[in-house]
């Protein structure tokens, strides 16, 4: 398997200042990229929903890694479905088109597990991506991101444009988003437990009934997988990045409480949505195609994330 040499490449990483992006940049440098040749557009001065900004961003670049997304947990998905659809579609579709026009050598698009149908056989195999409509609460976001896969495959077919599409499962790790209005499940639960401990409260409330299952990928593992895909994968089929380890929300909050030494009561808000019933990936394609397997143990990853939040909560 011949690696794409990164040492003299100009690389654009959208979302490169974010939780995952910073780790992707570190992994790129470890893999031989020159940090001086990595460009990170900032949303405040480069709104990628505007075509002229996309054109400016991709100019003279060899590789584009598109991580930028307007994304959040189930609460944000319910509150702002139109924004999530529009922002993610416009950013992605215009950036791909601009990269094609600028003769970029390779485009790496990061998709979302929300693109899978609501009822997908577990573990989720990439071949099942189109066998149904996504879970309703995150469908606008999921469909917008899935459209980018269609675009990349079409541009490959018509123009020979080398674009790949990677599907990381739910991410977690230090430096995650802990804002209760937009955070995903792990930082949201860690923060709830921490806040209860700080206030001396003996109960915490959690959305749903605890029955849905999820799979989580440590952000460092995800970054490594993205860089391995960038170096070694050049095919049109989408590729899952995950661990294959499935845990229920009930077991997850119990484990977080155990690690944080919280012995209070958990109140389940069963009037709130559960989201997708099960989520667990088939990770064989990534292993076969470019040798990626996750390395960080889930319990250890949770401990690292909890420790980071306790040190940075203030």
């Amino acid at each position: 398997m011949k690696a794409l040499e990164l040492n003299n490449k100009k690389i654009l990483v959208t979302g490169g200042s974010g939780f995952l992006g910073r780790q992707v940049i570190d992994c790129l440098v470890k893999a031989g990229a020159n940090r001086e040749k990595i460009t990170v557009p900032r949303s405040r001065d480069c709104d990628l929903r505007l075509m002229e900004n996309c054109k400016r961003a991709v100019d003279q670049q060899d590789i584009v890694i598109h991580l930028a997304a307007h994304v959040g947990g189930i609460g944000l998905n319910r509150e702002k479905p139109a924004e999530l659809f529009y922002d993610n579609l416009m950013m992605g579709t215009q950036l791909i088109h601009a990269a094609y026009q600028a003769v970029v050598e390779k485009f790496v698009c990061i998709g979302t597990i929300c693109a899978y149908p609501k009822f997908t056989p577990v573990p989720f195999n990439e071949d099942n991506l189109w066998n149904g409509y996504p879970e309703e609460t995150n469908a606008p976001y999921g469909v917008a991101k899935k459209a980018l896969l269609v675009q990349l495959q079409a541009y490959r077919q018509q123009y020979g444009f080398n674009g790949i599409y990677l599907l990381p499962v739910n991410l977690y790790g230090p430096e995650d988003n802990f804002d209760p209005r937009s955070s995903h499940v792990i930082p949201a639960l860690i923060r709830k437990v921490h806040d209860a401990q700080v206030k001396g409260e003996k109960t915490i409330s959690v959305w749903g009934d605890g029955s849905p299952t999820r799979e989580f990928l440590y952000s460092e593992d995800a970054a490594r997988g993205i860089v391995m895909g960038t170096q070694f994968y050049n095919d049109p089929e989408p590729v899952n990045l995950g661990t294959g380890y499935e845990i229920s929300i009930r077991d997850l909050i119990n484990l977080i409480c155990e690690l944080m030494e919280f012995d209070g009561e958990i109140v389940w808000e069963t009037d709130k949505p559960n989201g997708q019933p099960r989520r667990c990936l088939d990770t064989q394609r990534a292993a076969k195609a470019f040798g990626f397997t996750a390395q960080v143990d889930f319990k250890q990853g949770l401990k690292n994330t909890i420790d980071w939040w306790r040190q940075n909560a203030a």
Side-chain angles (χ1 to χ4, degrees), residues 149 152-153 156 162-165 233-239 285:
L149 169 62
L152 286 172
Q153 290 174 333
R156 180 185 290 271
N162 186 13
I164 67 166
Y165 190 89
Y233 189 66
N234 295 296
D235 291 338
E237 291 80 22
V239 184
R285 186 175 288 175

Side-chain angles (χ1 to χ4, degrees), residues 243-261:
T243 62
Y245 173 70
E246 184 180 17
I247 186 170
S248 72
I249 299 299
R250 187 176 293 276
D251 289 343
L252 172 64
I253 185 59
N254 288 338
L255 179 56
I256 288 170
C257 289
E258 177 195 318
L259 292 172
M260 296 182 75
E261 299 179 346

Side-chain angles (χ1 to χ4, degrees), residues 237-302:
E237 291 80 22
V239 184
N240 289 333
L241 298 178
T243 62
Y245 173 70
E246 184 180 17
I247 186 170
S248 72
I249 299 299
R250 187 176 293 276
D251 289 343
L252 172 64
I253 185 59
N254 288 338
L255 179 56
I256 288 170
C257 289
E258 177 195 318
L259 292 172
M260 296 182 75
E261 299 179 346
F262 176 73
D263 55 7
E265 185 193 352
I266 295 156
V267 178
W268 294 98
E269 294 187 63
T270 52
D271 59 323
K272 296 286 200 300
N274 269 329
Q276 194 161 25
R278 288 182 72 187
R279 210 176 267 176
C280 183
L281 299 189
D282 180 336
T283 57
Q284 292 179 76
R285 186 175 288 175
K288 284 179 187 157
F290 49 92
F292 171 74
T293 52
Q295 293 175 347
V296 179
D297 170 74
F298 183 56
K299 199 168 180 179
Q300 185 59 51
L302 270 185

Side-chain angles (χ1 to χ4, degrees), residues 4-14 28 32-40 56-65 99 102-108 230:
L4 174 62
E5 293 294 337
L6 302 176
N7 54 353
N8 58 359
K9 301 291 186 194
K10 291 181 180 168
I11 305 173
L12 178 78
V13 183
T14 72
L28 284 167
N34 179 345
R35 199 178 283 271
E36 302 298 309
K37 293 189 173 184
I38 297 173
T39 304
V40 177
R56 200 171 70 239
V58 301
D59 186 43
Q60 306 288 311
Q61 300 294 333
D62 300 305
I63 299 167
V64 174
I65 301 177
V103 200
V104 165
E105 187 180 336
K106 186 164 190 179
F107 194 102
V108 181
T230 302

Side-chain angles (χ1 to χ4, degrees), residues 12 14 48 51 54-55 58 64 66 88-104 106-110 144-156 159 161-165:
L12 178 78
T14 72
L48 294 172
M51 188 60 171
C54 291
K55 286 182 169 177
V58 301
V64 174
H66 180 43
N88 289 292
L89 185 67
M90 296 312 287
M91 274 196 289
T93 199
Q94 295 186 124
L95 197 68
I96 290 168
H97 190 69
Y100 151 69
Q101 288 183 316
V103 200
V104 165
K106 186 164 190 179
F107 194 102
V108 181
C109 188
I110 306 308
K145 295 289 269 186
K146 191 152 63 163
L148 306 180
L149 169 62
V150 178
Q151 185 179 6
L152 286 172
Q153 290 174 333
Y155 279 46
R156 180 185 290 271
Y159 306 134
F161 183 63
N162 186 13
I164 67 166
Y165 190 89

